[in-house]
Amino acid sequence: MDIKNICCIGAGYVGGPTMAVIAQKCPSINVTVVDMNEQKIADWNSDNLNDLPVYEPGLADVVKEARGRNLFFNTNIDKAIDEADIIFISVNTPTKTYGKGKGMASDLKYIELCARQIARVSKNDKIVVEKSTLPVRTAETLRSILKNVGTGVDFQILSNPEFLAEGTAISDLLNPDRVLIGGQAKAITHKTEEEKKKAEEAMEALVNIYATWIPKERIITTNLWSSELSKLTANAFLAQRVSSINSLSALCEATGADVEEVAKAIGTDSRIGSKFLKSSVGFGGSCFQKDILNLVYIATSLGLQEVADYWHQVIIMNDYQKQRFADKIITTLYNTVSGKKIAFLGWAFKKDTNDTRETAAMYVADILMDDNAIIAPYDIKVIHKQMFADMEMLNSRSDVENKELLQPQTDPYEACKDAHAIAILTEWDEFKDYDWQQIFDNMVKPACIFDGRNLLDANKMRKIGFKYIGIGKG
Ligand SMILES: NC(=O)c1ccc[n+]([C@@H]2O[C@H](COP(=O)([O-])OP(=O)(O)OC[C@H]3O[C@@H](n4cnc5c(N)ncnc54)[C@H](O)[C@@H]3O)[C@@H](O)[C@H]2O)c1
């Protein structure tokens, strides 16, 4: 099958970088990324590459190379669908905030809207690829919508979940551990030979795109349901490791053990492995929590309550870790932070991204602001407007109160000046290289550092005079 045009619906953290890399690696294919958010598309088209809506190391260079050549960003969704041979659906699938499954299930309304639009617009056969993370068996829903609303056009549905990690998206896309493609070609039964052939051709077409730069042995093909479920499972396992080590950090603090030493000791066991054993203030990001909640919801719906409870505990532990971190700040600062300035170094949910969805920083800030603390956050990539939007979303107090208590800073030294404490919320490398003596000199004493990422050199900080408190350090 000759693929000439790709359309991707959703120009977010996944759609943008993923399509930029496909365009870079496949110059003979036109890749059009569409979104209903006009501002976002304008930002993707900005002459100033610092204005791209997604910050990822290396992304600007890829966009610079491909944009205008065979990579296009626009809001004309109908046209892009009509012209495409393959349509990736890469829209958001947040946790439902209303109705049945509220707070647990994935909200699939954006997916359904895409499916209906594809069905309405398409005039020739298309391959529709689920790039968004979806509950297992969503492809069935897609198929039903496409078949029933469509105009006799044949739609082949593939699942191709994205495993990139924010902060390393470009290197993950260029050199992934694996690419997963689920399709009907792997189904045991096909009604006709013709049906089987079409399913195989669709699968092959997508495999061939990735095979342009990824060794074939790293491209895994499965049936649709395995692919859909594998993405949820991968995120659940990753989050579970973070919660496991974080649960031990509490135990370390109570017993005098050091969580980093424990992590190293257990991580050298090849059955356990050393990655993803870093204790912290808790995981954030748009995916881990939502995907586990979705898994819990699916298990509950299927009557598998023990399975649901098991995975739910990962979220409970993560919430506990954020609460514990905030509580420690309050108790250390003599049981009150009222009117005290607390500098936050970092607001993004991890380093090398400007994404703040579910960031631990906003939850810790919220708890401290409930106690009337003045929070002075500084982040390298997060704009102040976003910090206010995050606090507003939590809906804990009025905008006026948020503006009084949250005082974002553009200079880290200003953020720390006259503060009673500094909390490290994001592991940005540059924090390590600050002039910590100068920071100490300008703080209220005792000057405390709560290192939610175990980023700084504890001995050095203590020598300067800081009261330094890391995570999981007894
Ligand atoms: N962010 C990650 O690191 C990551 C990694 C792997 C998988 N995923 C999954 O990928 C999917 C997308 O995540 P994201 O982080 O890119 O989300 P995002 O919110 O950054 O981007 C989604 C975009 O889709 C657009 N959109 C929604 N409905 C639309 C419609 N009907 N027509 C046109 N545009 C529409 C939105 O305006 C938004 O710009 C989610 O299912 C997520 O779980 C995310």
Side-chain angles (χ1 to χ4, degrees), residues 379-438:
D379 192 280
I380 292 155
K381 289 290 172 192
V382 179
I383 55 173
H384 297 174
K385 203 171 121 195
Q386 184 60 49
M387 296 176 185
F388 284 113
D390 292 337
M391 295 316 297
E392 208 176 299
M393 191 204 66
L394 292 181
N395 211 9
S396 302
R397 59 192 71 73
S398 70
D399 284 1
V400 176
E401 286 168 312
N402 275 334
K403 289 216 164 84
E404 257 169 41
L405 297 173
L406 189 77
Q407 300 179 2
Q409 303 291 320
T410 43
D411 177 75
Y413 293 91
E414 261 321 298
C416 299
K417 193 165 170 245
D418 299 325
H420 288 250
I422 296 168
I424 313 261
L425 273 306
T426 313
E427 73 282 26
W428 286 104
D429 289 325
E430 77 165 45
F431 297 162
K432 290 188 265 192
D433 302 326
Y434 286 171
D435 182 342
W436 284 99
Q437 182 64 56
Q438 185 192 328

Side-chain angles (χ1 to χ4, degrees), residues 12-14 35 40 91-93 132-133 162 166 287 290 357:
Y13 282 87
V14 168
D35 203 294
K40 200 173 269 192
V91 300
N92 37 330
T93 49
S132 298
T133 303
E162 186 48 60
E166 285 180 31
C287 293
K290 120 178 130 59
R357 289 175 290 181

